[in-house]
Amino acid sequence: MATMSVEDSPTSTAEVDDVANQSESALRDNIAKKGKNAYYYAHAHKATGPKWDGKIEPRLLSTSSSNLSTSASNSSVSGSAVIGISSSTTSSAAAKAALMAKSNITNYAFLNETTKVKIYVNLPGVGNCQEEDIALDFTERTLCLTIKNYVSAEAKEKADVEKMVVDTAPEEEKGEDETKGEDRCLAFGQLFGDIENATFRKKPDKVIITLKKKEQKAWSKVIA
């Protein structure tokens, strides 16, 4: 049986290559003339990826900078949100602590009613204070009563006696009235319940604060 060698093949390698080149040229000419409408357009793209290195292990071909940027941005936003909440919580706690720190009135009583709560602040002689020296600030869960230039009844009585003595003394021995008032404050950093409004009335020896409840539930105490 005769064995056919390459030389004896009816089509040589050179001829095959020539036919392939002609087909490639015809394909390119067709795409050049018709563009995206060419029949062979979809087959014209060549692989541009890295060549296989012969290893079967997976390897990183590329990274997307946009994804990394988006991820970093999200992390930054998330971090800011956490910091913001933490700062807000810290600020609120500090404000309550500062409010309670300046509270120096300890003698008071309260009365729970259906729709309101009354707080009776005993301050002998407070009736002598000017209206503009008394202020009441409140939020839904905080309350602060401030009284400026307060002179207690005992201090005022003592000052009146000293003034009588001075009035009977010679003119050159008279001095200025040195009776000075002080600031008093009653503050609650966290009330037992929510309130809608707060008002006060000044009496000769006390200040009565009226709190309007937001919900009609009983208060067992003033501070939560």
Side-chain angles (χ1 to χ4, degrees):
M1 178 180 295
T3 302
M4 182 178 293
S5 63
V6 175
E7 288 79 3
D8 296 332
S9 172
T11 304
S12 65
T13 302
E15 290 174 339
V16 172
D17 292 341
D18 185 55
V19 171
N21 290 334
Q22 289 178 6
S23 299
E24 178 73 15
S25 178
L27 185 147
R28 293 297 175 187
D29 289 342
N30 181 269
I31 293 173
K33 291 178 181 179
K34 297 184 179 181
K36 294 183 179 181
N37 295 324
Y39 176 78
Y40 298 104
Y41 179 78
H43 305 281
H45 299 287
K46 294 183 178 181
T48 57
K51 294 182 179 180
W52 184 44
D53 57 5
K55 298 179 179 180
I56 62 174
E57 294 85 357
R59 59 173 175 161
L60 179 65
L61 300 180
S62 64
T63 58
S64 174
S65 58
S66 61
N67 290 340
L68 292 176
S69 176
T70 301
S71 176
S73 176
N74 291 338
S75 297
S76 176
V77 171
S78 176
S80 299
V82 172
I83 293 174
I85 293 172
S86 177
S87 299
S88 176
T89 303
T90 303
S91 176
S92 177
K96 290 179 181 179
L99 190 65
M100 296 300 294
K102 69 177 185 178
S103 182
N104 55 13
I105 297 177
T106 57
N107 187 13
Y108 68 89
F110 84 100
L111 175 64
N112 176 67
E113 297 182 0
T114 304
T115 60
K116 56 191 175 183
V117 173
K118 289 184 178 180
I119 303 175
Y120 299 88
V121 184
N122 297 317
L123 285 173
V126 71
N128 297 318
C129 293
Q130 301 297 320
E131 293 291 339
E132 58 268 22
D133 287 337
I134 304 177
L136 182 63
D137 300 309
F138 68 92
T139 66
E140 196 173 60
R141 293 299 295 268
T142 66
L143 182 74
C144 182
L145 173 70
T146 305
I147 302 172
K148 296 182 178 180
N149 302 316
Y150 168 71
V151 179
S152 66
E154 293 181 359
K156 190 176 187 309
E157 183 179 353
K158 181 180 179 181
D160 290 341
V161 172
E162 292 177 351
K163 185 177 181 182
M164 292 176 59
V165 173
V166 171
D167 288 341
T168 59
E171 190 66 28
E172 61 273 10
E173 296 182 8
K174 293 182 180 181
E176 297 181 356
D177 184 6
E178 296 183 354
T179 304
K180 295 182 180 180
E182 58 184 0
D183 294 347
R184 292 295 183 92
C185 176
L186 175 64
F188 301 99
Q190 186 77 7
L191 293 171
F192 187 81
D194 294 346
I195 61 173
E196 292 182 347
N197 193 25
T199 58
F200 74 90
R201 285 184 298 161
K202 183 183 68 171
K203 297 291 185 177
D205 294 319
K206 69 182 66 174
V207 175
I208 303 175
I209 304 172
T210 302
L211 309 179
K212 184 179 180 181
K213 297 178 182 178
K214 192 171 184 179
E215 297 179 1
Q216 294 185 13
K217 67 177 182 178
W219 286 30
S220 59
K221 52 186 178 179
V222 179
I223 303 176

